[in-house]
Amino acid sequence: MNQMITGHTRLAGLIAKPAKHSISPAMHNLSFEDQQVDAVYLAFDVEPEDLAASIQSIRQLDWLGANISMPHKMAVVPLVDELSPAAELIGAVNTIVNQDGHLIGYNTDGIGFMRALADIDVSIIGGKMTVIGAGGAATAIISQAALDGVKTIHVFNRKDAFYPIIESKLQQIASATGCTITLEDLDEQQALRRAVEESQLLVNATGVGMKPNEDESPLKDSRLLRESLAVYDVIYNPRETRLLKEAKATGAKTANGLSMLLFQGAAAFELWTGKQMPIEKVKAMIEKM
C-alpha cells in the first residue's frame, strides 16, 4: 500500500472473531487507494463481551464504518441507531455506516448475492428459486430476493431443533414482502424434485461440499440439474464444488460464493464512500489469494 497515512486518514474495519483470516482488508485497502479515499481498513478480533465497547469506539473515534462478521451479526442489532429494511428483516447486520455518530446497520450479504447473479446474467425477479439451507447466509439471500421481487422461494432444511425458529422467520419475511415462501424437510426428495423443476435458480447455502468434503453434494439426485437451471453455491473453498461441476456439465450458468463476498464488500464500500469499488481489480486480486 503506497497511500500516505495523514492526520486526516479515517478508519474502517472488520469486527469479528476470528478476523485475521479475512480477505476484506486486502479488498478495501486496494479500493481506498484506487479511488483516492483517505482511509485504511484493519481487522479486529473482538470477544462477545467487548462488542458494545467496540461499537461505541466507531462513534468516539469517528470511523468511516465497519463490517461485522460472525459471531456478532445478530448481537450488534440493538447497538446501532437505525436499521436498513433488509437488516431489519434479516435480524442481522454485516455493515455499519457512521453518519456523524449516528450508526446505521445494513446487511449487504443479500445485495452481494443479487449482484453476483446479475454478474452471470441471471435474473430471477418475478420468478421462482429453490434454496437448500436456512442459516445466516440463506436468510440474507431469501430476504433480499423477496424484497427485490422474486415471486416464490422454496426453502429446504434438515428438520432439526432450529426448524420451528426458521419457520417463523420465513413467515415473517413472506408477510413483510408478499413473496410466497415454503419450507420443507430436506429429506422430502419428492418435494425437492418438484421445487427444483419449477425453479430458475438453485442455491446451496449449506456447508455441504466444502473442503475437506469436496466429493459431497447437497443435491442427492444430479439428474435434477439442467441447462435452464442456474446454480449458485455460497461455498468458495473449493472454487468449484461437486454441485457446481455437475451443473456446469449440463451447460447451466454457475457461480461460487467468492462473487457474493466481492459484491457485498462493494456494497459496503459504496455506503461508506459514495464511490464504486474497482470490481475487476479486486476480483483479479482475490482470485489469486
Side-chain angles (χ1 to χ4, degrees), residues 2-288:
N2 308 317
Q3 204 166 332
M4 180 76 78
I5 302 284
T6 73
H8 297 280
T9 304
R10 292 181 74 191
L11 180 64
L14 173 67
I15 293 174
K17 179 72 184 193
K20 305 297 182 197
H21 68 287
S22 173
I23 63 173
S24 293
M27 283 171 56
H28 287 290
N29 286 315
L30 171 68
S31 302
F32 285 148
E33 190 167 2
D34 183 85
Q35 294 297 299
Q36 297 179 318
V37 176
D38 191 359
V40 67
Y41 188 107
L42 301 174
F44 299 97
D45 273 325
V46 173
E47 298 293 344
E49 60 269 28
D50 298 325
L51 181 63
S54 301
I55 299 305
Q56 185 54 27
S57 75
I58 298 172
R59 293 187 182 90
Q60 290 168 331
L61 303 179
D62 193 29
W63 288 32
L64 260 183
N67 284 134
I68 310 295
S69 196
M70 300 308 287
H72 305 311
K73 286 184 177 188
M74 288 160 80
V76 82
V77 169
L79 302 175
V80 298
D81 305 307
E82 194 183 326
L83 290 171
S84 73
E88 197 159 348
L89 205 50
I90 297 160
V93 163
N94 80 333
T95 300
I96 294 174
V97 176
N98 178 16
Q99 289 187 347
D100 301 320
H102 180 80
L103 302 186
I104 306 169
Y106 292 84
N107 194 308
T108 65
D109 285 333
I111 296 167
F113 169 76
M114 295 302 282
R115 285 197 190 173
L117 290 186
D119 198 46
I120 56 165
D121 292 322
V122 171
S123 174
I124 47 156
I125 307 307
K128 296 179 183 181
M129 63 191 272
T130 296
V131 180
I132 299 176
T139 307
I141 286 167
I142 293 160
S143 298
Q144 195 65 51
L147 283 168
D148 285 2
V150 173
K151 193 177 162 193
T152 307
I153 305 173
H154 297 297
V155 184
F156 289 84
N157 200 65
R158 298 236 171 271
K159 216 158 196 179
D160 55 16
F162 290 105
Y163 200 85
I165 299 164
I166 293 161
E167 204 159 19
S168 80
K169 183 77 200 165
L170 294 178
Q171 281 167 1
Q172 186 194 336
I173 296 166
S175 63
T177 60
C179 176
T180 301
I181 304 176
T182 66
L183 174 65
E184 299 211 48
D185 187 349
L186 187 52
D187 288 336
E188 295 289 341
Q189 289 297 305
Q190 281 300 104
L192 181 61
R193 176 176 280 106
R194 277 196 308 273
V196 170
E197 278 171 0
E198 64 179 49
S199 293
Q200 288 93 54
L201 173 71
L202 173 66
V203 179
N204 174 39
T206 74
V208 179
M210 198 182 276
K211 280 191 171 177
N213 305 312
E214 301 100 313
D215 54 346
E216 289 181 29
S217 169
L219 198 65
K220 287 186 182 136
D221 187 356
S222 62
R223 289 170 304 179
L224 292 175
L225 299 167
R226 61 183 194 274
E227 190 179 351
S228 60
L229 177 75
V231 178
Y232 193 92
D233 200 325
V234 299
I235 294 169
Y236 56 87
N237 189 12
R239 293 284 194 266
E240 197 167 68
T241 57
R242 181 178 162 186
L243 176 66
L244 291 184
K245 278 185 187 136
E246 289 174 345
K248 199 174 263 188
T250 71
K253 290 175 178 176
T254 63
N256 67 30
L258 210 55
S259 57
M260 186 168 158
L261 185 71
L262 171 68
F263 288 110
Q264 66 77 27
F269 184 82
E270 218 171 296
L271 286 167
W272 295 328
T273 66
K275 297 184 177 195
Q276 302 282 320
M277 178 178 267
I279 294 289
E280 292 309 318
K281 283 187 185 176
V282 176
K283 193 187 279 187
M285 176 189 68
I286 63 178
E287 276 170 359
K288 288 182 200 147

